[in-house]
Amino acid sequence: MRARAMTRYAALFGVSALALTGCFAGPAKAPAADVGAEPEFSGTLSILTKFAGDPLSPYFEDLAAAYERKHPKVEVELIQETDQSIKDKTKTLTASNALPDIYFTWTGNWADNFVRGGRAADLTEVIGPDTEWGKSFSRSSLSAFAHDGKYYGIPLYNNGKFMGYNKAAFDKAGVKVPTTFEELIGSCADLREAGYEPIAFGNKDGWPALHYLQQLFAHHVPAAAREADSKPETATLEDSGYITALERFKTLVDTCTDTRGGTNGVLYTSAQEAFGRGKAAMYYQEVLEFDNATAGGALEPENLGIFPLPASQGAKGDPKVIEGAPEGYFVNARSPRAALAVDFMKFVTEPKNAKTLSSPPYGQPSTVVGAVTPQTSSKAVFEGIDKVNKAPGLVGWLDMVTAPEVADAWLAGGEALISGGMSPEKVLASVRRASESAK
C-alpha cells in the first residue's frame, strides 16, 4: 500500500496496533537500534505523524513519495493523526508493543516516559550538537529532547502560544493591543459591542483550558515552585499564585468568551473557524495555527496580529516567559530499520524541505537553522518564532510536563471551573490529591 493510500485508510478506519509494519512485540528488552549503521534501502518504513487533515497531510505524503522515488525498494507507510487523536493512538500502540519505526512526540514528561521505557532510540551519535546533522538545528530545540546528557529526539518545528487578534476588529471597536491582563479583560466589552465574540474558545477536548492555565501559572507562580510542583515527588502546590491564576482564567472565560454556547461543548477547531471567519476578535493559538487561521480568506494575513497573553500588574512569576516547546519525532529503539529511519528523517529535515515546512500553507516553523525567514514564512509565523526565540524562557504544555494522573486532574478541574462546578480552591485540592497518589 502506497503512502497516500495508507494515510487515507488510517484516517477512516484506524490501524490495527498488531498489524502495523515496523511494529515490535515480545519481551520488553530487545537489542538496541543501530542508528549509526549504513541503511538498507529496502522494505517498509512506518511513520506515525501529527499531520492529519488539511492543510498539513500533504507534507509527509509528498516527502514519502519523493523518498520512494529516490529509493524505489523502500515503501513508506504513513499513519497520520490529529493533535487530539494522536494521544490515544500512541498510548494504544505503546500498550500493544506496536510503535512504528518513527513516531511523533512532545517534549517534557511525555517524551521522558518513552526514553525511560526504552522505546526511544539514543540518537546522540547521529544528532548530538557536535554532529553534522545536529549542527543544523538550534541548540535549544535539540536540548528539549535531551535526557541525562543523551539526545533522543529529532526536533521538527518550534512552537509557542499567542493571542491572535483581528486588526480590523480592534480598529472598529477602538481597542488597542492590551499590555496587561486587566486591559485584555477591559477590551472585551467594546469588542462585543462592536459585534464580535471577544475571544473564540472551545474546550471540548479539555487541553485548550490548560494552555491558558499554564501561561497564567507562569505569570503568577515563581519558576522554582512550578518546576518542583510538576514532579509528584517534590510537589506541594501550595503557592497562592495557583489560586490567583485560576481566578484570572475564570474571569476571562466569563467576561470574554461565548459562555452561552457552552464552552466545554465547543470544539477547538470550531473556535479556530470562528476567528478565521471574522466572527471573533481574538483566538488563543499556537504559531503552528497562524497560517491556517488565514487560509479561509475571511481573515486576511495582513489583518492577523499577535501578542503574548499579557500578565496582570504585579504578577509575582515571570511575565515575559512564553508557553511553548518544540515538537518532534523519536526513532523506535527496537526497530530493525532504525538506520533507514534516521536517513528518512535526515531527508525530511534537509534545508529545502525545512523551508517548505515553514512556508504557507503549512506554517510549521522548522527548527532547522535558517529555515524561518521573512521570505519563507508568513509575517505572523516569523514574528511568532522571533518572539519565542527572544523570550527569556519557555514553559511547556501543562498536560505534557507532569505525570498523567496530575494532567488528568488539571483537565477535569479546568472543565469544572469553566462550568462553575468547582471553585479554584477545590480544583487545586483535587490536583494535590492526584499528585499525592502519583508519588
Side-chain angles (χ1 to χ4, degrees):
M1 185 181 293
R2 308 311 288 170
R4 285 182 187 274
M6 184 64 181
T7 302
R8 188 181 311 116
Y9 287 115
L12 291 175
F13 306 113
V15 178
S16 169
L18 298 178
L20 273 175
T21 301
C23 72
F24 54 81
K29 293 194 178 295
D34 188 357
V35 298
E38 284 295 320
E40 181 180 338
F41 294 105
S42 64
T44 303
L45 187 70
S46 55
I47 307 167
L48 174 64
T49 84
K50 190 170 73 78
F51 271 45
D54 292 330
L56 297 179
S57 59
Y59 182 73
F60 269 100
E61 291 172 354
D62 292 345
L63 286 178
Y67 193 78
E68 289 173 342
R69 289 193 297 271
K70 187 177 180 180
H71 304 290
K73 294 183 179 180
V74 175
E75 182 174 338
V76 179
E77 287 185 351
L78 295 178
I79 308 101
Q80 306 243 62
E81 297 290 336
T82 66
D83 190 78
Q84 181 63 25
S85 67
I86 198 165
K87 298 172 185 176
D88 291 334
K89 174 68 72 175
T90 305
K91 291 174 184 177
T92 298
L93 298 179
T94 302
S96 303
N97 277 346
L99 285 169
D101 300 306
I102 302 167
Y103 58 99
F104 170 83
T105 181
W106 284 280
T107 58
N109 187 71
W110 178 278
D112 290 346
N113 284 332
F114 290 96
V115 173
R116 288 191 295 263
R119 298 178 184 274
D122 179 359
L123 302 178
T124 307
E125 66 176 290
V126 293
I127 205 173
D130 295 325
T131 65
E132 182 180 356
W133 191 24
K135 289 177 182 177
S136 69
F137 299 96
S138 67
R139 282 256 179 171
S140 60
S141 65
L142 282 179
S143 298
F145 294 97
H147 190 92
D148 292 337
K150 296 181 179 180
Y151 295 82
Y152 292 86
I154 303 152
L156 191 64
Y157 45 78
N158 214 339
N159 200 7
K161 196 85 174 186
F162 295 88
M163 187 66 79
Y165 72 98
N166 186 327
K167 294 179 181 180
F170 271 42
D171 288 344
K172 181 179 177 181
V175 170
K176 295 182 179 180
V177 175
T179 58
T180 66
F181 186 82
E182 290 75 17
E183 289 178 0
L184 173 64
I185 299 302
S187 71
C188 292
D190 291 333
L191 290 166
R192 201 181 296 278
E193 187 175 341
Y196 299 95
E197 179 184 353
I199 300 177
F201 179 47
N203 195 53
K204 188 171 184 178
D205 294 320
W207 58 262
L210 301 195
H211 284 197
Y212 276 103
L213 288 176
Q214 182 70 322
Q215 182 65 75
L216 290 169
F217 291 157
H219 291 165
H220 294 281
V221 181
R226 276 191 297 102
E227 290 168 6
D229 289 338
S230 68
K231 304 175 180 65
E233 59 271 20
T234 57
T236 64
L237 293 156
E238 294 291 345
D239 194 282
S240 61
Y242 289 109
I243 296 297
T244 303
L246 289 164
E247 291 172 343
R248 296 290 192 277
F249 175 62
K250 179 63 172 171
T251 297
L252 182 144
V253 170
D254 291 347
T255 306
C256 298
T257 70
D258 187 5
T259 54
R260 296 169 301 172
T263 300
N264 284 332
V266 177
L267 288 170
Y268 185 73
T269 51
S270 297
Q272 184 184 63
E273 290 166 2
F275 179 67
R277 294 196 310 270
K279 303 297 183 183
M282 290 180 280
Y283 165 62
Y284 197 41
Q285 59 193 293
E286 299 168 41
V287 175
L288 308 182
E289 301 171 87
F290 290 171
D291 284 351
N292 195 36
T294 60
L299 176 63
E300 298 292 338
E302 58 268 22
N303 270 332
L304 172 61
I306 65 169
F307 60 89
L309 188 69
S312 295
Q313 293 177 329
K316 64 179 183 179
D318 192 335
K320 297 187 182 300
V321 162
I322 291 176
E323 184 179 19
E327 298 175 0
Y329 287 79
F330 281 149
V331 171
N332 187 340
R334 294 170 234 176
S335 168
R337 285 162 294 279
L340 182 63
V342 167
D343 187 79
F344 178 79
M345 291 308 296
K346 284 183 177 180
F347 175 72
V348 170
T349 56
E350 287 180 358
K352 176 184 176 182
N353 295 326
K355 288 179 180 178
T356 298
L357 180 66
S358 305
S359 305
Y362 304 116
Q364 314 291 291
S366 172
T367 55
V368 172
V369 175
V372 180
T373 69
Q375 290 72 42
T376 60
S377 304
S378 66
K379 181 179 179 181
V381 168
F382 180 76
E383 180 184 352
I385 288 303
D386 185 58
K387 290 180 182 295
V388 167
N389 291 338
K390 291 179 179 177
L394 298 179
V395 56
W397 315 116
L398 184 56
D399 52 343
M400 296 297 151
V401 300
T402 190
E405 305 96 310
V406 181
D408 288 343
W410 279 123
L411 281 164
E415 292 173 347
L417 186 64
I418 289 169
S419 68
M422 293 178 74
S423 66
E425 291 78 10
K426 289 185 177 180
V427 169
L428 190 58
S430 70
V431 175
R432 284 197 195 106
R433 289 193 296 270
S435 185
E436 282 291 326
S437 66
K439 287 183 178 179

